[in-house]
Amino acid sequence: MSAKETGIFLQLMKNEGRRSLYLGLTPALTRSVLYGGLRLGLYEPTKVSFDWAFGSTNVLVKIASGAFAGAFSTALTNPVEVVKVRLQMNPNAVPIAEVREIVSKEGIGALWKGVGPAMVRAAALTASQLATYDEAKRILVKRTSLEEGFHLHLCSSVVAGLVSTLITAPMDMIKTRLMLQQGSESTKTYRNGFHCGYKVVRKEGPLALYKGGFAIFARLGPQTMITFILCEKLRSLAGLHTM
């Protein structure tokens, strides 16, 4: 963790208490259930459909399947993500009241603020996570003594967590900045995701795209491991084949 990230953490704890670390928890959990279930549930059927259409399940097909599952899922759940970000900035707000305020002041389209970059980010995240996990499992089984089971799932998910963090950290930063924008089109700092990325790189340097990268991995790494290990276990209990 960088000195700046440590300073922010300590300042939050001092000024706002432990509760500040869990602001927006309700919409975050809601989105996780909906988004996580959709993207994981759509991956296998999409891969099977591509296999039927193209007669192949190579790594490109896995990437395309993950990208579709992620983009489609986030398009449906983006309003919950917007509410989560707003609640983190306004700890006294109530989720339903915040939704009403956003719609009344900014229009219903405001619930889909940043949906373009969010879809790109979700497509990249899901593709990198699921395709990397899928391929890592295949390679580990082929080149090591690991067999189907907990240790194989753990090693594969660690690799997937690292790769997905490297790919999605810049997109997370851009998405958050876009979602926090308020006001009319003429007063906005960033016109779109590409414009936001360009301005950040120009003013703050390329490494600014990875601001909070350690914090992202601290969340995404364990989340990826837990997600895949539980998913594989639930598929096994349900009598389904492994991913």
Side-chain angles (χ1 to χ4, degrees), residues 31-84:
R31 181 184 180 275
S32 293
V33 171
L34 296 173
Y35 168 70
L38 280 169
R39 73 189 187 97
L40 288 172
L42 287 172
Y43 176 70
E44 285 293 325
T46 304
K47 191 170 70 169
V48 169
S49 299
F50 279 137
D51 183 27
W52 175 80
F54 304 109
S56 173
T57 55
N58 61 32
V59 67
L60 294 178
V61 167
K62 293 173 183 177
I63 291 172
S65 301
F68 172 79
F72 183 77
S73 301
T74 206
L76 294 179
T77 59
N78 195 76
V80 187
E81 178 74 3
V82 171
V83 173
K84 182 196 78 172

Side-chain angles (χ1 to χ4, degrees), residues 27 30 58 90 101 119 146 149 176 179 187:
T30 303
N58 61 32
N90 184 11
E101 185 176 355
M119 287 178 69
L146 288 174
T176 301
M179 285 182 172
T187 60

Side-chain angles (χ1 to χ4, degrees), residues 67-143:
F68 172 79
F72 183 77
S73 301
T74 206
L76 294 179
T77 59
N78 195 76
V80 187
E81 178 74 3
V82 171
V83 173
K84 182 196 78 172
V85 173
R86 296 292 181 89
L87 288 176
Q88 288 172 334
M89 301 302 295
N90 184 11
N92 296 319
V94 177
I96 297 299
E98 188 67 22
V99 171
R100 289 173 180 167
E101 185 176 355
I102 291 171
V103 173
S104 64
K105 290 184 176 180
E106 304 173 53
I108 194 167
L111 293 173
W112 275 269
K113 272 187 176 180
V115 70
M119 287 178 69
V120 173
R121 186 260 184 193
L125 171 65
T126 308
S128 60
Q129 273 187 332
L130 291 171
T132 301
Y133 179 79
D134 218 338
E135 279 297 294
K137 274 185 66 177
R138 184 184 67 81
I139 293 170
L140 287 171
V141 168
K142 184 178 180 180
R143 300 187 179 181

